[in-house]
Amino acid sequence: MFGGIKYRINRLQDMAFRRYISHYIVQAMQLNTQRNKVITCDFILEADTSPQDEFELFKYIYGQHNEYFVPYYIINEHCAAYPEIKAKYGDNIIPYSAENIVSFAFYMKELFKTTKFICGGFQVLHALCLGITDGCKRSPYVYSFFTQHGVNFFKDNFISQSSYSAFLFDKIMISNDFEKNLFMNRACYKEENLVKNGLFRWDLLSADHAQSNKSIFIYFTHRRYLRNIEDIQDTVYVRTITSLLRNKEFNRLIEENGYTVQVALHHTVLQVCGNDILQGVQILKDEEIADAKKNAALLITDYSSMCFEMWFQHKPVIFLNVPDTEDCLTYGHKTDLPAPYSGKEDYIFNVAQNVDECVSMLGHYFATGFRFSQEECQKRDRFFYYNSDFCARFYQYLVDTRNDTKTLYHLPVNFSMEFARCPDINTYAIELPTPHGRWVVRKKAHFSFFVPTDSKDLAIQIRFRPYLRYKQYKFFAKVGVNGHWLPRREVFTRGIKAFVLDVPRSWIGADGKIEIQFKFSHVYKRSQLRIPGGDQRYLSIQLLTMDLLERDHSFAEVKDQFEAINEERARQRALLEQGQDEEWSNQHDTDADE
């Protein structure tokens, strides 16, 4: 009993602290100060990961002797590398740990007063729930960069509006056109916010003069579902790896050519399964992996981003498919991929469907001296915009944009937007988007934006989907614009609905600000609605689209203006669908004739 009370008290204290510190972090980022700090961090939430890409960027900026920026690197203070790094770089290293979150947050609050750029390869600063993401998105002075860790190429289904998107970062660094299209289509970035470069850790490698020892590197990436399985040794994942290592032809090739084999697994697999997961096979430590991939002649992997380093050095990679589609689908962890190679045929090569195919490909490379074919060279070159100077190029980009400021929350008139794809509105009590829209999460909520100051009377249509379930068969909604409220409306039918707003110029201030406000009543709590697990819907409505138009006074009422627009849209959709049906029918007839 007392343990439960203590837990609830601690939880309330934690929530109160995070709300308090978030407020002041947002304030710190909105100060118009002289900003010359660059904050970098890798995956700080776990102690058993070594410094990676962002540490390389930090070292490069540190080596410029504060010419333009003062760099800082956040690291988990329990990381094995922390004492040495702290001793070398002193106060430019910021220690983080879960138990010291309070002192860390207050230190960061002060640092954010003069920070210009925040660069990270993960969403860890967002995951800390300290208001850092909110502060960046609301600040005209501070820019956040997702400089990526390579998670996106194979795990492209992991990219969404709520993951690594323009709703969380201002800009993103990309390595090739695949990533460009991925982040524009799935993460809602505009092309001007994409920075062409490559991973900072590639500066440690040579694209044209790479050396290798007589070693084959085997590295398999993580599987979240392993934590759900009792007998790890009987999984397809483990059986595939061990069958390769015990394959007679594989071992013959290694021994006859005088090679060695080095094996590593993703650190999250070792956390769950332990270092003896492969029973008798020595597994490299995390800090030994960098040298292994630098010295290896060839990599065998499932779909690890280690392949990028090998391709970068013009070294071949064999992708050994782990046929664990059933396990991936059964347990449903979104980073476990049932079809990791699909859609990437223009970039990857050497996909082996079983161990025998993998060993055959390995034999081919032994026979050819591990050289790329012409087609493999073309695919490799397609993957990289550049072959060197990644830290220097990005640093110059920061120097060139150090005086830039953001124009926040400005929308043009005669504009239609999807709430799921437009990050450029200021929201309160409105959740991050799903692929379809954004759920309102409190009984009072609002979003705001600015229109051009010379705008005239406006007509606004907001399409939404109500959440009606169990005993919540209706609720009441009020909508207002800049403090002018429409009559309360009863919402009691499912399907897509719309709020239609007639906004005269007199309601719009001199700065052009528009604030759309919501008030809901007769809404039940989630616990009262028997919401099934995993259902991400909230409260009352999901915002879908908004039309922001100049008011056409040839229509007596604003609803008439939108009825005409909606009818025309329906007609255009019908014509499009008819054309698609005719195209399919013609193609079907052609196929039948053939």
Side-chain angles (χ1 to χ4, degrees), residues 154-182:
F154 290 107
K155 304 178 182 70
D156 50 328
N157 65 342
F158 195 43
I159 308 301
S160 69
Q161 291 96 327
S162 58
S163 181
Y164 303 110
S165 73
F167 290 88
L168 300 174
F169 297 91
D170 295 308
K171 301 191 178 189
I172 182 169
M173 191 171 74
I174 57 173
S175 305
N176 51 56
D177 283 347
F178 178 91
E179 294 175 359
K180 171 185 173 180
N181 296 328
L182 172 68

Side-chain angles (χ1 to χ4, degrees), residues 225-237:
Y225 68 71
L226 291 175
R227 68 184 66 177
N228 301 106
I229 296 179
E230 185 173 346
D231 186 2
I232 300 295
Q233 299 301 324
D234 195 41
T235 59
V236 176
Y237 179 82

Side-chain angles (χ1 to χ4, degrees), residues 526-545:
R526 286 175 62 87
S527 59
Q528 296 174 296
L529 296 179
R530 300 178 182 175
I531 296 176
D535 192 328
Q536 296 301 308
R537 292 176 290 185
Y538 294 88
L539 197 63
S540 51
I541 68 170
Q542 184 184 44
L543 302 172
L544 303 176
T545 64

Side-chain angles (χ1 to χ4, degrees), residues 69-353:
F69 303 112
V70 180
Y72 290 84
Y73 181 70
I74 307 172
I75 185 173
N76 191 300
E77 62 182 333
H78 302 302
C79 173
Y82 170 69
E84 180 182 351
I85 291 175
K86 181 67 174 177
K88 183 173 182 178
Y89 297 103
D91 292 340
N92 295 77
I93 302 300
I94 304 171
Y96 164 82
S97 64
E99 60 269 26
N100 292 329
I101 185 69
V102 174
S103 58
F104 170 81
F106 277 104
Y107 181 85
M108 296 304 296
K109 174 180 73 73
E110 292 303 311
L111 194 61
F112 284 139
K113 292 179 180 179
T114 53
T115 294
K116 181 63 181 179
F117 298 113
I118 301 174
C119 305
F122 301 89
Q123 292 183 170
V124 288
L125 296 182
H126 173 70
L128 295 179
C129 298
L130 298 176
I132 297 173
T133 298
D134 199 32
C136 284
K137 298 304 290 184
R138 292 172 184 263
S139 170
Y141 311 112
V142 183
Y143 287 84
S144 59
F145 285 83
F146 175 45
T147 49
Q148 61 112 330
H149 172 62
V151 299
N152 51 62
F153 184 69
F154 290 107
K155 304 178 182 70
D156 50 328
N157 65 342
F158 195 43
I159 308 301
S160 69
Q161 291 96 327
S162 58
S163 181
Y164 303 110
S165 73
F167 290 88
L168 300 174
F169 297 91
D170 295 308
K171 301 191 178 189
I172 182 169
M173 191 171 74
I174 57 173
S175 305
N176 51 56
D177 283 347
F178 178 91
E179 294 175 359
K180 171 185 173 180
N181 296 328
L182 172 68
F183 282 102
M184 290 181 67
N185 294 335
R186 300 196 61 163
C188 309
Y189 286 94
K190 297 178 181 178
E191 188 166 1
E192 60 263 30
N193 292 327
L194 305 178
V195 182
K196 291 185 177 182
N197 196 30
L199 300 186
F200 301 128
R201 64 176 184 254
W202 294 342
D203 274 342
L204 300 175
L205 306 172
S206 171
D208 299 316
H209 305 288
Q211 302 295 315
S212 61
N213 297 331
K214 285 192 166 186
S215 71
I216 303 298
F217 184 35
I218 297 177
Y219 183 95
F220 282 73
T221 193
H222 68 174
R223 294 294 194 282
R224 299 291 184 190
Y225 68 71
L226 291 175
R227 68 184 66 177
N228 301 106
I229 296 179
E230 185 173 346
D231 186 2
I232 300 295
Q233 299 301 324
D234 195 41
T235 59
V236 176
Y237 179 82
V238 172
R239 291 202 310 268
T240 300
I241 301 172
T242 54
S243 64
L244 171 65
L245 295 173
R246 295 169 184 170
N247 183 276
K248 291 182 179 180
E249 179 63 13
F250 173 79
N251 285 288
R252 184 190 69 79
L253 288 170
I254 297 297
E255 292 173 8
E256 288 187 0
N257 288 281
Y259 273 64
T260 60
V261 175
Q262 293 186 296
V263 181
L265 298 176
H266 196 279
H267 70 276
T268 57
V269 173
L270 301 180
Q271 286 173 353
V272 174
C273 307
N275 290 331
D276 60 346
I277 179 176
L278 299 181
Q279 294 185 338
V281 176
Q282 184 175 356
I283 297 176
L284 296 179
K285 297 178 181 178
D286 192 68
E287 58 268 23
E288 297 174 316
I289 290 176
D291 285 339
K293 61 189 176 185
K294 188 174 183 178
N295 296 327
L298 177 143
L299 169 69
I300 299 175
T301 184
D302 47 358
Y303 51 84
S304 169
S305 61
M306 296 281 180
C307 68
F308 306 154
E309 276 85 323
M310 300 300 286
W311 284 341
F312 185 80
Q313 300 175 88
H314 289 88
K315 295 179 180 180
V317 178
I318 298 174
F319 296 96
L320 175 54
N321 181 43
V322 177
D324 59 351
T325 299
E326 184 175 342
D327 287 331
C328 291
L329 296 176
T330 298
Y331 296 102
H333 296 291
K334 62 182 179 180
T335 56
D336 294 345
L337 308 182
Y341 316 113
S342 177
K344 305 172 180 69
E345 293 79 8
D346 288 343
Y347 296 89
I348 65 173
F349 44 94
N350 296 337
V351 177
Q353 296 301 327

